[in-house]
Amino acid sequence: MSVAKAVDILGFGREQMRIIECDNRMRMNVEILRQLIQIDLSEGLRPFCVVGSAGTVNTGAVDSLNDIADVAAEFNLWFHVDGAYGAPGRLDPRKKALFAGLERADSVSLDPHKWLYVPVDAGCLLLRDQAGARTTFNAADADYIKVHGHSDEEAFAFWDYGIELSRRFRALKIWLTLRYYGVRRIAEAIAEDNSLAEYLESIVSKAEDFELLAPVELSICCFRYLPTAFRLRLQTAVSETEVAVINEELDRLNEQLMSAVQTSGRAYLSNATVHGRFALRACITNFRTTRADIDETIEIIREAAVKMSDMLY
Ligand SMILES: Cc1ncc(COP(=O)(O)O)c(C=O)c1O
């Protein structure tokens, strides 16, 4: 969504954007990326940028950033990494290897209001080399934004690096959070969020009335409610059409369950589409979440399902 919008804002039109297929862990298939670049080049087009994910919003998948960086280097492309949600996951020592290659990005988007626990809004774009942004956005001929009589550091102004002129002091809350809690404490909270997603994964995988829909990579777990009657119907279905019909019923059931959980006010689940299926999406980015909250969420879903039992049988 955000990349398509950026492409539009840059004036290219969405048809200029190529969406690359994923592997079964929902990571970009870098071989297909390479092939599409070669096809575009052979047709006289000029690919200029590749965007990888350091934690997708749907499932938390982290692309093979080193492999994408190699392709970007080979074809001289700008390498942007969308780390809006997931980049802080690198602070968890158990997850660090997933992010190998992040350091090769030309730019990284990062939303500290997501997984650095900072209040909204605090979106950042981190640039390897600030010179390009300065050349683009600095308006040296405008007298009223000139900073006089200060050292270079003091004269630094965000308006020289982006489109906003008047802007509030977003950096303050990020700075304060980092200073007050410290990176080590924040890293512990992130690691705990990841563990909680794994805890939910283990409950869902063992339960007879749930099904895991995507591998848990960071702090997101995508699953669906799959009551026994539906499981049996899926196991005994004789045709693809029958499977499709059952899955559509499950999509509707899970959509209603999500709404019921949301309106209960006791837990909040969002949704994702995974392999075409409606998934309940638990995204754990709160340092106060505990195992008891996870257990309760599962029970809330089951309670909502009981109330909807006319849909189940
Ligand atoms: C992976 C990812 N990229 C980009 C965005 C967009 O970020 P923002 O809400 O700061 O515009 C989001 C926000 O949900 C996101 O999760």
Side-chain angles (χ1 to χ4, degrees):
M1 181 274 290
S2 62
V3 177
K5 263 193 187 175
V7 169
D8 265 355
I9 291 167
L10 287 168
F12 291 105
R14 289 183 191 198
E15 70 285 355
Q16 303 286 346
M17 184 174 78
R18 307 280 176 265
I19 294 176
I20 314 296
E21 267 174 50
C22 294
D23 63 16
N24 56 4
R25 275 174 71 187
M26 326 263 173
R27 298 171 307 178
M28 185 193 294
N29 182 326
V30 183
E31 211 25 63
I32 293 183
L33 168 72
R34 184 190 301 275
Q35 286 165 14
L36 288 184
I37 292 171
Q38 278 162 340
I39 292 172
D40 276 351
L41 285 171
S42 71
E43 290 177 359
L45 296 169
R46 287 166 54 199
F48 67 92
C49 175
V50 56
V51 180
S53 263
T56 61
V57 68
N58 275 352
T59 67
V62 181
D63 286 328
S64 303
L65 300 174
N66 257 330
D67 293 339
I68 302 176
D70 287 344
V71 173
E74 183 182 336
F75 294 99
N76 196 22
L77 310 177
W78 184 274
F79 178 32
H80 174 70
V81 175
D82 185 338
Y85 149 68
R90 190 181 183 282
L91 290 172
D92 178 351
R94 292 189 305 129
K95 305 288 180 181
K96 193 173 166 189
L98 279 178
F99 295 87
L102 178 62
E103 68 286 354
R104 295 171 66 189
D106 293 301
S107 54
V108 177
S109 43
L110 175 72
D111 274 359
H113 59 245
K114 293 193 166 79
W115 214 5
L116 285 178
Y117 313 112
V118 170
V120 282
D121 63 338
C124 301
L125 180 68
L126 309 180
L127 294 166
R128 165 174 305 288
D129 178 4
Q130 54 174 268
R134 195 179 162 83
T135 311
T136 307
F137 295 109
N138 167 263
D141 51 349
D143 265 349
Y144 69 109
I145 55 160
K146 256 190 206 133
V147 183
H148 295 277
H150 289 296
S151 67
D152 282 355
E153 220 165 72
E154 272 182 296
F156 175 88
F158 277 111
W159 62 66
D160 285 333
Y161 299 88
I163 54 177
E164 282 176 295
L165 175 54
S166 310
R167 46 181 286 154
R168 56 209 171 103
F169 192 3
R170 295 187 182 94
L172 176 62
K173 55 193 172 187
I174 304 173
W175 178 83
L176 201 61
T177 303
L178 292 172
R179 293 290 291 181
Y180 185 80
Y181 293 103
V183 173
R184 197 175 52 198
R185 178 66 190 92
I186 292 170
E188 280 169 13
I190 288 169
E192 177 61 13
D193 289 339
N194 285 330
S195 301
L196 288 170
E198 283 163 21
Y199 176 62
L200 178 55
E201 175 190 25
S202 72
I203 294 178
V204 162
S205 304
K206 282 185 219 136
E208 291 192 347
D209 52 352
F210 284 101
E211 180 184 27
L212 187 71
L213 287 182
V216 170
E217 306 281 359
L218 298 173
S219 73
I220 295 174
C221 181
C222 287
F223 59 101
R224 69 176 172 177
Y225 186 60
L226 178 62
T228 314
F230 279 85
R231 195 183 285 272
L232 289 176
R233 281 175 64 200
L234 278 175
Q235 280 164 1
T236 54
V238 289
S239 67
E240 279 187 18
T241 322
E242 198 181 339
V243 170
V245 169
I246 300 167
N247 274 323
E248 274 160 31
E249 286 175 39
L250 279 166
D251 287 350
R252 283 201 300 279
L253 168 64
N254 278 278
E255 196 176 335
Q256 297 202 8
L257 283 173
M258 182 190 73
S259 301
V261 173
Q262 287 178 355
T263 50
S264 76
R266 294 162 63 203
Y268 191 91
L269 291 171
S270 59
N271 62 294
T273 306
V274 182
H275 297 309
R277 302 276 58 98
F278 188 97
L280 300 172
R281 171 180 172 274
C283 179
I284 303 159
T285 50
N286 191 318
F287 49 87
R288 291 198 188 95
T289 304
T290 62
R291 282 188 171 215
D293 296 316
I294 304 288
D295 294 335
E296 198 179 332
T297 304
I298 289 288
E299 284 319 310
I300 294 168
I301 300 170
R302 286 189 174 129
E303 282 167 28
V306 169
K307 286 189 195 145
M308 262 176 228
S309 52
D310 55 322
M311 279 186 75
L312 307 186
Y313 303 104

